[in-house]
Amino acid sequence: MKFSINRETLLRPLQQVAAVVERRQTLPVLANILMQVTENQLSMTGTDLEVELIGRVDLTGASAGDITVPARKMVDICREIPDKADIEFHLMDQKLEIKSGRFRSTLSTLPAEDFPLVGTAATEMSLTLDCKAFKKLLDRTSFAMAQQDVRYFLNGMLIEFGPDYVRSVATDGHRLAMANLDVEAGSDEIRQVIVPRKGILEMQRLLHELEGDVEISIGASHLCSSSSEYTLTMKLVDGRFPEYERVIPKNGDKIIHADKLELHQALNRTAILSNEKFRGIRVTFSRGSIQLSANNPEQEEAEETVSVEYDGEALEIGFNVSYLQDVLAVLESDRVRITVHDGNSSALLEDPENEDAIYVVMPMKL
């Protein structure tokens, strides 16, 4: 195996692939990336057995071969080589020699046949989506995914494929985020899959780098996202996602319209003196205004009133302030519509100009 490549051409896909590799591994080979070289292409693969990313780079005049090398060391070496320099790789006696200018190093290797690949079953459905539109769909809901919930199916995102839409839904049991993306040719039947949290985060990171379209293909236990440069394969979570439609409140009769930026800034200021553990904030709705108030065990308190469009009766609800801040951070409009029913019901937050995303925040006792 022998090839030469420009540093910039190699570094970006190398960093993307290495990011999938976990620092702490039970199998030594999982700390490595698989390098497979043909005459005209270098393919690099990283995996943690749940998520697998393959990055591809075009080569000229390479000699074929395959080997695995330590991911972190490989990235660190290539990152420190001067900009725009050429790097030569040569596999000799099971050591990978790396040369650039006056620099020379050798990396230890493990055989390519020891590298575990995420097995993929036959594709059951596939569709093509615009990279930026799909990333935006994930961005609008990913913040609501649980992180270490014992209900493992919440530690990820439900992606639903319908006849003319793709929908993303995330919930941690205290809040819910749902967004839709219109597509021209979707699934013949409604298909739901749960993608693990790490898979969603890697897909967001990857889609940020890509332009054009990405092909999404789904098998019995995998979801695969493919472009000319990358292939990302994720094991699906085997579980039953909650019936999210039942969580969305339908009886809200008090509607408040507020300036998103003004409300967000007021929440940021008031939240500073909320209880650091519970993050509770008291929200009092009254004609023409919302009053925000917070306090903490140190007897410190903060209060602010925000002018809003509301003509209903007075109402007081407690919320986790972080949940409200997260929703306001992803809304694109300058305004936010809040719909509530009473002091014990969930709040429904929406963009009044764009109804393809809704957010539900449950109340908390203060």
Side-chain angles (χ1 to χ4, degrees), residues 118-273:
V118 174
T120 52
T123 298
E124 296 176 1
M125 66 164 284
S126 63
L127 71 163
T128 302
L129 300 173
D130 177 75
C131 283
K132 299 305 177 199
F134 189 40
K135 179 179 185 297
K136 181 178 168 184
L137 178 75
L138 302 180
D139 289 348
R140 294 168 84 180
T141 54
S142 60
F143 66 87
M145 291 187 293
Q147 295 201 34
Q148 291 179 318
D149 200 296
V150 292
R151 297 164 293 180
Y152 59 92
F153 47 84
L154 297 184
N155 302 320
M157 181 185 292
L158 176 78
I159 302 182
E160 182 175 300
F161 300 89
D164 54 3
Y165 69 89
V166 177
R167 176 176 295 161
S168 63
V169 186
T171 179
D172 60 5
H174 304 287
R175 54 177 169 176
L176 179 138
M178 183 179 87
N180 288 337
L181 171 65
D182 293 334
V183 294
E184 290 183 2
S187 167
D188 294 335
E189 58 187 64
I190 294 176
R191 175 73 187 268
Q192 293 184 339
V193 297
I194 305 174
V195 182
R197 179 184 175 84
K198 181 175 179 178
I200 292 294
L201 298 179
E202 289 298 334
M203 193 148 52
Q204 287 175 288
R205 199 166 53 80
L206 192 60
L207 292 169
H208 180 71
E209 298 283 337
L210 299 178
E211 299 288 341
D213 291 338
V214 62
E215 183 179 350
I216 305 296
S217 51
I218 300 157
S221 60
H222 294 83
L223 183 141
C224 187
S225 165
S226 307
S227 70
S228 58
E229 299 172 66
Y230 296 98
T231 300
L232 177 65
T233 306
M234 295 152 284
K235 278 188 177 178
L236 298 174
V237 176
D238 184 15
R240 184 174 177 82
F241 203 77
E243 294 183 35
Y244 60 87
E245 296 276 8
R246 294 172 57 185
V247 178
I248 300 168
K250 306 287 195 299
N251 61 346
D253 53 1
K254 300 171 181 63
I255 299 173
I256 302 98
H257 286 87
D259 182 282
K260 184 192 76 172
L261 184 60
E262 185 183 355
L263 180 58
H264 198 183
Q265 291 174 340
L267 285 168
N268 292 346
R269 287 188 289 268
T270 313
I272 295 168
L273 297 184

Side-chain angles (χ1 to χ4, degrees), residues 338-361:
I338 305 169
T339 307
V340 292
H341 177 60
D342 58 32
N344 298 313
S345 64
S346 299
L348 184 66
L349 286 81
E350 298 169 280
D351 183 338
E353 298 174 7
N354 192 347
E355 297 188 348
D356 58 3
I358 60 173
Y359 303 94
V360 180
V361 179

Side-chain angles (χ1 to χ4, degrees), residues 258-308:
D259 182 282
K260 184 192 76 172
L261 184 60
E262 185 183 355
L263 180 58
H264 198 183
Q265 291 174 340
L267 285 168
N268 292 346
R269 287 188 289 268
T270 313
I272 295 168
L273 297 184
S274 66
N275 185 310
E276 290 183 9
K277 183 178 180 182
F278 300 108
R279 305 285 290 159
I281 189 168
R282 198 179 305 278
V283 181
T284 305
F285 301 100
S286 54
R287 290 183 189 276
S289 70
I290 295 177
Q291 185 184 62
L292 310 172
S293 57
N295 54 48
N296 59 30
E298 289 80 45
Q299 305 300 312
E300 299 166 327
E301 55 184 47
E303 190 177 282
E304 181 162 352
T305 301
V306 179
S307 296
V308 298

